Amino acid sequence: MQMTSLNNNLKLKEDYEQAGIEWLMCQKSVHYFLSQHAQIINRNTGKTIKWEAWAYLLDLLDLLLKFNDVVIVKARQEGVSWLLSGYADWKALFNEAAKILMLSQGEEEAWELLDKARYIWRKLPDHIRCSAKSDTKGMLSFGSNDSILHALPSTDKAGRGTDATVIIRDELAKHPYGHDNFVAISPAIDSGGQIIDVSTIDKYDSENHFTQRVNKALNGAAKHIMPSGLEYYTGGESGAVLIFLGWRLRPVREEGLSLDEWFKAKVIPKYDPIDIEQEYPETLDEALSVPKTTCRFDVVALNAMLLECVSPLREEQNGIIKIFRESVAGRHYAFIID
C-alpha cells in the first residue's frame, strides 16, 4: 500500500513538473503554443481541427514578433484571422496585465473575431488555460494574470484613452472611421504597444484608410521574400512593415485539387472578374492595380497601343510639324491640330 502511494505521488510530481515545462515552452514560443495546442473550426465541415502550421503562417508569426507597426494585405481564406486570434491568446495568457483590443467594422464582426480567440482558449489543456475572470460577448479576461481581450466596433473613439499591448484591426478597408480611430488609438501604441492592420483591398475606394496605410508603408520601401514565398516591405514612408499574402501561399484549398484546379473550378465560374481581382490577388501589384473591369477604356488595347508609340521620324517648320510615319497611298489619316 505504501509503495503504491509512493508511486502515485511520484507520478503526480512528474505530471506536475511536465505541465510546468510545457507551460514554459508555450510561453517561450508562440510557434510551439499554436502548433502543439491550438484547435480551430473548419468552417467547411463544421468540425474541430488542429491548427495547421503552414510555412507562410509561421513566417507571418516571425514578422509579428519582430515589428510593432504591421499592415497586412491578404487574399481571402488565408487563415489569418485564426492566426491573429491565437497570437492574441498567447499574448494574453503568457504576459502579466496584457490588454488586447480586437476591432472590426461593427460589433458583430468584432465579437466574431473574439469568438475565435475564445474557442482556441477553451480547447487548451487545463495546465495552460487560465481561468476566466470575465467571459462575455465582448470581453474575455483572466484573473490569474489580469490580462484581457476586448472586442470593439471601429468607431472614431474606439480605444481612446486606453493603453494596449496589441491592437488588431480586422478587415480595416471596411471600417467607416478608420482614420479617426487610428488617431484615437495611436497614443496607446506609441509607448511600445503593437498595432496589426489587416484587410483585403477595396478596389472601389482607393481613398479608404487601409489603402492609405498600405501606400505609405510601400512608398520607398525595400522588398523581402521569406522562404515560404511570403513577401514583405520595410523602410517605407510610414515606417510600418507591409506584408502581402497572395492566394497561392496557402498550399491546400480543397483536398484532391491542385491550386490551379481549385481556382479554375471554384473561383473563375463563381465570381465576376472584379471580385477575383479584389478577393484573390496573386501579387501585390494585382491587389493595388486599378480594376480593369471598371476602366473607361480597354486596358489591354491601351497597353498594345503603347508598344506602337515611337519618336518622330523628323521635324519640319522648326519643330512645329512632327512626322511619325511616312504617308502611304490609299490610307486614311487623322491630323491633330492644337
Side-chain angles (χ1 to χ4, degrees):
M1 182 68 69
Q2 290 181 345
M3 184 61 69
T4 300
S5 178
L6 178 61
N7 288 337
N8 288 338
N9 289 336
L10 288 174
K11 181 66 167 57
L12 288 173
K13 182 181 178 181
E14 290 174 0
D15 291 345
Y16 181 80
E17 290 176 348
Q18 184 59 43
I21 293 171
E22 188 72 11
W23 191 93
L24 289 172
M25 292 177 67
C26 289
Q27 181 191 45
K28 183 178 180 180
S29 171
V30 64
H31 293 76
Y32 184 86
F33 169 68
L34 292 179
S35 299
Q36 296 297 315
H37 298 294
Q39 297 185 63
I40 65 174
I41 299 175
N42 183 329
R43 295 299 182 186
N44 294 327
T45 63
K47 296 180 179 179
T48 298
I49 62 171
K50 184 179 180 181
W51 181 75
E52 296 186 87
W54 288 322
Y56 75 96
L57 294 179
L58 296 178
D59 282 346
L60 179 55
L61 283 174
D62 285 338
L63 294 177
L64 295 181
L65 294 171
K66 185 176 182 180
F67 298 100
N68 281 344
D69 192 352
V70 180
V71 180
I72 303 172
V73 179
K74 68 179 186 69
R76 294 291 298 275
Q77 301 300 313
E78 296 279 11
V80 175
S81 293
W82 279 109
L83 178 140
L84 291 178
S85 298
Y87 178 73
D89 279 334
W90 179 71
K91 283 284 189 178
L93 290 170
F94 300 103
N95 289 278
E96 293 292 330
K99 180 181 288 185
I100 317 299
L101 300 183
M102 310 178 82
L103 282 68
S104 197
Q105 57 183 308
E107 194 171 54
E108 292 290 339
E109 291 84 358
W111 289 347
E112 183 177 346
L113 186 61
L114 177 58
D115 279 343
K116 291 180 178 179
R118 179 183 287 111
Y119 189 85
I120 293 173
W121 164 72
R122 285 178 174 171
K123 292 292 184 178
L124 293 173
D126 291 340
H127 61 277
I128 294 175
R129 184 182 64 248
C130 294
S131 297
K133 179 180 179 181
S134 175
D135 186 3
T136 65
K137 276 189 174 183
M139 185 181 297
L140 175 62
S141 64
F142 308 119
S144 61
N145 65 358
D146 295 318
S147 290
I148 181 173
L149 295 91
H150 195 184
L152 296 169
S154 180
T155 65
D156 56 339
K157 297 180 181 179
R160 180 181 289 276
T162 184
D163 54 350
T165 308
V166 180
I167 298 172
I168 299 170
R169 299 196 295 171
D170 189 40
E171 287 300 338
L172 182 56
K174 302 298 183 183
H175 290 206
Y177 301 101
H179 173 74
D180 293 338
N181 174 249
F182 184 70
V183 174
I185 63 176
S186 287
I189 60 171
D190 288 342
S191 59
Q194 182 179 39
I195 184 168
I196 304 170
D197 288 342
V198 57
S199 186
T200 53
I201 284 289
D202 185 351
K203 283 180 171 283
Y204 292 104
D205 179 14
S206 61
E207 300 299 319
N208 72 77
H209 172 62
F210 179 68
T211 300
Q212 291 176 352
R213 287 269 286 157
V214 171
N215 288 332
K216 285 186 177 181
L218 185 60
N219 185 27
K223 180 178 179 180
H224 314 271
I225 301 178
M226 302 193 76
S228 66
L230 181 150
E231 62 186 59
Y232 69 100
Y233 301 77
T234 59
E237 177 185 346
S238 67
V241 59
L242 174 64
I243 303 170
F244 174 70
L245 291 85
W247 73 267
R248 283 188 179 275
L249 281 179
R250 179 171 170 171
V252 178
R253 289 284 179 169
E254 183 173 328
E255 293 294 338
L257 294 179
S258 69
L259 291 179
D260 287 327
E261 290 169 341
W262 170 82
F263 193 78
K264 184 176 180 180
K266 303 295 184 177
V267 176
I268 293 177
K270 184 177 180 180
Y271 297 97
D272 293 332
I274 182 61
D275 297 321
I276 297 175
E277 292 175 15
Q278 178 169 279
E279 308 297 340
Y280 292 101
E282 186 171 346
T283 66
L284 183 59
D285 286 341
E286 185 177 327
L288 298 178
S289 66
V290 176
K292 300 181 182 66
T293 51
T294 60
C295 289
R296 298 285 184 180
F297 302 98
D298 187 330
V299 173
V300 175
L302 289 175
N303 288 334
M305 292 170 67
L306 281 173
L307 298 176
E308 298 183 6
C309 292
V310 296
S311 300
L313 294 176
R314 66 179 187 276
E315 298 181 0
E316 298 179 0
Q317 300 295 322
N318 294 322
I320 295 176
I321 299 175
K322 294 179 173 60
I323 309 297
F324 288 87
R325 291 190 181 183
E326 299 292 353
S327 60
V328 178
R331 296 280 298 273
H332 295 282
Y333 296 89
F335 292 88
I336 301 174
I337 301 176
D338 187 3

